[in-house]
Amino acid sequence: DVKVTQSSRYLVKRTGEKVFLECVQDMDHENMFWYRQDPGLGLRLIYFSYDVKMKEKGDIPEGYSVSREKKERFSLILESASTNQTSMYLCASSKGGREVQETQYFGPGTRLLVL
Amino acid sequence: AQKVTQAQTEISVVEKEDVTLDCVYETRDTTYYLFWYKQPPSGELVFLIRRNSFDEQNEISGRYSWNFQKSTSSFNFTITASQVVDSAVYFCALSEAPRSDYKLSFGAGTTVTVRA
């Protein structure tokens, strides 16, 4: 079974703090993704990575950055947290490949509250 | 523009009732993929099914079934004889053609509550 883990289930941070959300997958997947989930909006893609040290912007990258130094780990960074970044953050991974859309598998999510 | 529309925000049923979740998608691609995910209260999205645009055959897996109709751009999901454990948020998602961004477009989700 694919296992995607996220470092925290719940986080409370203050406005202006730098926040790190960590994601690890154990299936040697090449692709990794960060989404945020908000009521009524479904999941929106923040950033994704298709290889080590590679990153691509998703639909809502503003206010976020990412780091992928190792294949199994993908970090989401909030450089200066703001209250509008209070949300549920979900990490996902999938096999690489351009011939077929591989299934994305998700972690348990991190609920972030920015005060 | 919203590429995936799940018009039902919430559905509440009594145990053993059937429940159908609607999903309408929009794409100009001829090759695309459709997905359903379940998100129980624990928060983790659980993959349920993936279909490609060339396979319109309906699928049944236990109490779950899916009806894919390209003519109406719909990929509906039915839970037969619902159980309390089916209570969750269900998401439909679309991926348009193999492409470098591997992007999934999600619907807003439908919250299903099954009452004992």
Side-chain angles (χ1 to χ4, degrees), chain A:
Chain A
D1 282 351
V2 176
K3 190 67 174 179
V4 180
T5 57
Q6 295 181 229
S7 52
S8 304
R9 294 301 302 273
Y10 301 94
L11 273 181
V12 180
K13 297 292 182 180
R14 297 208 173 273
T15 302
E17 280 192 74
K18 190 169 186 176
V19 182
F20 293 87
L21 302 182
E22 304 286 340
C23 175
V24 177
Q25 51 91 7
D26 67 355
M27 285 303 291
D28 202 35
H29 283 174
E30 296 190 9
N31 305 327
M32 296 188 75
F33 309 81
W34 275 107
Y35 293 86
R36 65 177 282 175
Q37 180 183 359
D38 300 289
L41 297 178
L43 278 72
R44 294 178 293 166
L45 182 65
I46 305 172
Y47 267 97
F48 68 98
S49 168
Y50 53 87
D51 202 352
V52 176
K53 296 191 186 295
M54 305 300 289
K55 62 184 179 183
E56 294 285 343
K57 293 180 180 179
D59 294 323
I60 51 166
E62 296 78 19
Y64 303 95
S65 62
V66 290
S67 172
R68 191 161 181 208
E69 297 297 320
K70 293 184 178 182
K71 190 175 185 179
E72 68 271 18
R73 188 179 299 269
F74 192 35
S75 302
L76 180 69
I77 304 157
L78 288 65
E79 296 290 342
S80 178
S82 63
T83 55
N84 62 12
Q85 291 178 309
T86 291
S87 187
M88 170 75 135
Y89 290 88
L90 290 155
C91 176
S93 73
S94 69
K95 291 183 194 177
R98 293 171 182 265
E99 299 303 317
V100 62
Q101 172 64 56
E102 296 289 346
T103 298
Q104 293 184 21
Y105 295 93
F106 285 80
T110 296
R111 290 193 182 275
L112 173 66
L113 172 63
V114 182
L115 300 174

